[in-house]
Amino acid sequence: MDGRDAARFAAQAAGRALMLKAGAIVAAFGLVGLLVIGILGGGAGKAGAASTSCGNLGTPGAPLPGGSTGPDGASPTHYPGGRMRDEQLANAKTIDQVARERGLSGRATLIGLMTALQESTLIDLPGGDRDSIGLFQQRPSMGWGTVEQLKGHPDYQARMFFYGSPTGDPQGLTGVPYWQDKPLGAAAQAVQHSAYPDLYDRQEQSAREIAAQAGLDLNRPGTGASGTAAPGSSATPTGPNNCYPEAPSVPGAPFHDSAAPWPDIVKNPRSTADAIAWDRNEAANGTARWQAMCLAATASAYGWNYAGYTNPPANSHAWAIEHYRNIIPATMRHDKDRNPPPGALLYWDTGGQYGHIAVYVGGGQVASTDILRPGHIDIVPAEQIETKWGATYLGWAPPYYPAAG
């Protein structure tokens, strides 16, 4: 939403103040001033909290600019025209794609759409009641991420709605016991902790209409009762960014797949898929030739004869930790983020001068040297580098070897 859209939104929302339960006054862009929004509220809160925004929830049907009356004569909230409708459809597709990343069903998508329609009218709002942000009106002060992580990143917002924090607080939809069997609105409320729990169900029909227009399959089955994707499945890119905002990091917590294209300067003899296949084959059939050669092993996976990092020593036994700190550009480093795309390089500080590096093969696993068998590559849960070795996870980066050969 640009400044002109926001200003138009503000003017029309203010003109319909009588339709709102309470107005939420937020700062949204310097040129817009104060934006009176009555469609906000409920928000998402920490487990045990009564609500993230403690009220100020707008009534369903708070109109958007540019709309036209719906086929049932209702207010134009979910029948906007032009750019607003385009943005709703784009956000609906993002919510659906994030749900499908880990095999969630179409029912999960429907719950996400209903929630976002109630909280923000499916618009990625830059603000809201108190410090609420985005599609689900998630609050940084309640643990949903930093302002930088949330603002302008509907994929991150949706990922937090579905999966929550790695600590379980706040809890996402998949952390709600038996969420698949709960009524749709009750499942939404279990995540949002709204002061107005009955309003989510009123959005079902509008959510279904938007899903149909966006071409989403709400009858799609999940790949498992927990919503976790089947072994070997991989995420599909969800947005145009080259990387994703970092999620909270907790030592020993599982890793989850995201999706991001590598920057153009990342060029390797092998593709990401071929590098992962090479690692899996090496784990199954390789010999004990990789002891204390973790960086060289990752370079070999991507088709290089040597990693090319020569500071020091001048051979393939280079220091993994220095590769992350000094060779990988800062714009490529994703400090502490536990949502790497398959094929990424993950780095740890092991307490010594060398550190550790491994290729993320997806599904929460890495191809690591020495972790199970000295000198061998093995496929293990990524968190084992912390839980078994006591290492400190540094972050992930694309497979970038600027001096390899």
Side-chain angles (χ1 to χ4, degrees):
M1 186 188 309
D2 62 21
R4 289 171 297 179
D5 288 332
R8 194 163 57 250
F9 194 169
Q12 296 200 27
R16 296 180 177 91
L18 294 179
M19 297 179 63
L20 309 179
K21 275 190 172 65
I25 300 178
V26 301
F29 302 106
L31 296 177
V32 177
L34 295 178
L35 172 62
V36 180
I37 299 176
I39 58 175
L40 305 179
K46 279 193 173 184
S51 167
T52 54
S53 57
C54 300
N56 291 334
L57 189 70
T59 59
L64 283 174
S68 58
T69 302
D72 57 356
S75 73
T77 305
H78 306 310
Y79 305 96
R83 291 185 59 183
M84 285 294 181
R85 175 53 108 197
D86 291 342
E87 185 173 351
Q88 284 183 319
L89 294 174
N91 289 331
K93 291 176 182 178
T94 295
I95 289 171
D96 182 62
Q97 185 61 65
V98 171
R100 291 193 290 125
E101 281 181 5
R102 285 170 54 189
L104 297 186
S105 64
R107 184 179 181 85
T109 293
L110 178 57
I111 294 168
L113 294 178
M114 291 168 57
T115 305
L117 280 167
Q118 178 55 42
E119 297 295 347
S120 67
T121 316
L122 201 53
I123 298 297
D124 183 19
L125 296 172
D129 181 53
R130 306 189 194 186
D131 58 339
S132 299
I133 296 172
L135 297 174
F136 302 95
Q137 288 296 278
Q138 294 157 326
R139 296 180 62 191
S141 63
M142 303 302 276
W144 290 95
T146 65
V147 172
E148 292 75 19
Q149 288 169 338
L150 288 163
K151 185 169 288 188
H153 295 287
D155 52 347
Y156 177 89
Q157 299 162 20
R159 201 166 283 116
M160 289 298 286
F161 173 79
F162 286 125
Y163 311 122
S165 167
T167 66
D169 184 14
Q171 171 183 264
L173 180 66
T174 56
V176 175
Y178 308 109
W179 67 266
Q180 304 95 324
D181 301 320
K182 290 181 177 293
L184 298 169
Q189 170 64 5
V191 179
Q192 300 296 94
H193 303 285
S194 170
Y196 301 92
D198 297 332
L199 297 184
Y200 297 112
D201 278 320
R202 302 185 190 181
Q203 308 295 354
E204 181 179 355
Q205 183 59 35
S206 293
R208 291 186 179 278
E209 291 169 0
I210 286 176
Q213 189 173 350
L216 310 182
D217 180 11
L218 298 183
N219 296 316
R220 177 186 73 249
T223 58
S226 66
T228 301
S233 66
S234 62
T236 303
T238 61
N241 298 327
N242 287 336
C243 59
Y244 287 81
E246 284 71 14
S249 178
V250 177
F255 287 70
H256 302 293
D257 295 6
S258 68
W262 307 137
D264 291 340
I265 62 171
V266 176
K267 300 181 185 299
N268 296 301
R270 288 199 185 104
S271 68
T272 297
D274 288 342
I276 292 173
W278 185 94
D279 266 322
R280 292 191 181 280
N281 181 69
E282 188 71 15
N285 305 305
T287 59
R289 57 184 175 134
W290 300 110
Q291 189 162 9
M293 295 175 63
C294 57
L295 181 57
T298 67
S300 292
Y302 274 97
W304 299 108
N305 293 318
Y306 55 88
Y309 172 43
T310 59
N311 179 31
N315 56 39
S316 61
H317 296 261
W319 299 1
I321 195 170
E322 292 301 324
H323 190 260
Y324 186 69
R325 290 173 174 168
N326 296 326
I327 303 302
I328 299 294
T331 55
M332 292 190 196
R333 295 197 296 261
H334 299 257
D335 293 341
K336 301 296 184 181
D337 180 31
R338 302 178 86 88
N339 297 283
L345 304 180
L346 274 58
Y347 298 81
W348 291 265
D349 183 342
T350 56
Q353 62 181 348
Y354 300 109
H356 189 63
I357 183 176
V359 175
Y360 184 69
V361 298
Q365 297 183 311
V366 292
S368 173
T369 60
D370 303 317
I371 183 68
L372 296 184
R373 300 173 295 167
H376 286 268
I377 291 175
D378 287 294
I379 307 298
V380 299
E383 63 267 23
Q384 278 196 11
I385 311 301
E386 295 165 302
T387 59
K388 186 172 181 178
W389 284 351
T392 300
Y393 176 59
L394 297 177
W396 68 266
Y400 182 55
Y401 304 92

